[in-house]
Amino acid sequence: MATAADSTAMGRAITLAARGLGSTSPNPVVGCVITDASGRIVGEGYHQRAGGPHAEVHALRDAGEGARGGTAYVTLEPCNHTGRTGPCSQALVDAGIGRVVYAVADPNPQATGGGDTLRAAGIPAEAGLLAEEAAAGNTAWLTAMRRGRPFVRWKYAATLDGRIAAADRTSRWITSPEARADVHRLRAEADAVVVGSGTARADDPHLAVRGIEGATQPLRVVLDTEATVVKPGARVLDDAAPTLVAIADDATTDLPDVVRLPRAGRGLSVPALLAALHERGVRSVLLEGGPTLAGAFVAEGAVDEVVGYLAPVLLGAGPAALADAGISTLPEALRLDVTEAVRIGPDLRITATPKER
């Protein structure tokens, strides 16, 4: 049975794991804490970047001989396969760890089984401690593993009456500098930022992360169905971050890096887009497109989290945050669970997740 000391150590491991957000994809974020035989913390580590040592390896190096006979607390089941690094389950065995506690079982069929390897070596391996908290910190990767597509976070900024622009289409700036800076944090945590042709045409957005030192730049993705909007000189084509333009499979373009997708309605197939991004190693998407693109994602059931920045402003007219999402009557409404509501400068940031329909 887990003790208060166990929970404290696992909580620390969850905090460490969060340091890897935005830099480990397509791998998960993982934290590890090691205590010696007396219960004193002697090693800490987290997965810092894809291809680099895993959290357990960092923590074992930090602990040295203090790991022998001690306990390892890991936010995700230690991996059981050899990829760019060796199996962490065997590294724990070799280090003489006496007990392993992990929060979440690994759903990746290529890496799962570390708990069984530890138990076969005579090391008690317990699962489930602070599982909900650890899963929340790793939700993008877990969603990608379980659903076979990237986790999608839809972000929008609006007035209190739900307008993303005025009637004359002016929209800069509805929200505060603090809120806009917070959006760059979301970009830094995402593998890809996605917008549609309407946003590209109206705003010529840059979509790169600014103001966050050491941030890994996300893949900038523009859905340009007819291949007529993204042209040479567009800000999204500079060298600040990689860019991918998605076009219809029958469109013509001279752009060098495009992905061709089947048409769907007036745009492109959302499932095909997500499948193509997943194949490229994208595990998390920040959807920053306008109401039409957001509506297409919602209609496909492809929004996993909504982050709305609401400014204390009223317009009374202008485009709404969400266009047609295939919902025609109130009983069909997509209901949300609010998971967080915080002040960001003068604005309110609301985070919510869709309920099961």
Side-chain angles (χ1 to χ4, degrees), residues 230-316:
V230 181
K231 300 176 180 179
R235 296 176 69 213
V236 79
L237 295 180
D238 69 10
D239 60 2
T243 298
L244 177 68
V245 180
I247 65 175
D249 47 18
D250 58 351
T252 301
T253 183
D254 293 328
L255 292 175
D257 196 5
V258 300
V259 58
R260 296 181 177 273
L261 301 174
R263 294 176 182 268
R266 293 179 297 170
L268 299 173
S269 166
V270 170
L273 169 68
L274 293 177
L277 292 177
H278 191 269
E279 186 175 345
R280 287 173 175 252
V282 171
R283 299 295 177 258
S284 60
V285 163
L286 180 62
L287 180 63
E288 290 198 38
T292 300
L293 186 60
F297 271 73
V298 171
E300 288 289 348
V303 171
D304 302 298
E305 185 177 80
V306 180
V307 179
Y309 294 86
L310 301 182
V313 176
L314 299 176
L315 285 173

Side-chain angles (χ1 to χ4, degrees), residues 115-139:
D116 291 338
T117 294
L118 292 164
R119 285 184 280 269
I123 300 173
E126 307 159 22
L129 179 62
L130 300 188
E132 186 174 342
E133 294 88 338
N138 217 6
T139 187

Side-chain angles (χ1 to χ4, degrees), residues 159 163-172 174 315 317-319:
T159 63
R163 309 293 178 175
I164 61 168
D168 66 355
R169 299 288 170 164
T170 55
S171 60
R172 295 187 176 181
I174 286 176
L315 285 173

Side-chain angles (χ1 to χ4, degrees), residues 98-161:
R99 172 179 173 240
V100 175
V101 180
Y102 59 91
V104 179
D106 193 333
N108 184 353
Q110 294 181 324
T112 192
D116 291 338
T117 294
L118 292 164
R119 285 184 280 269
I123 300 173
E126 307 159 22
L129 179 62
L130 300 188
E132 186 174 342
E133 294 88 338
N138 217 6
T139 187
W141 184 83
L142 289 170
T143 296
M145 286 297 104
R146 292 164 178 166
R147 299 188 180 181
R149 64 157 177 82
F151 170 87
V152 177
R153 172 183 284 136
W154 170 41
K155 160 262 160 186
Y156 70 93
T159 63
L160 277 184
D161 56 340

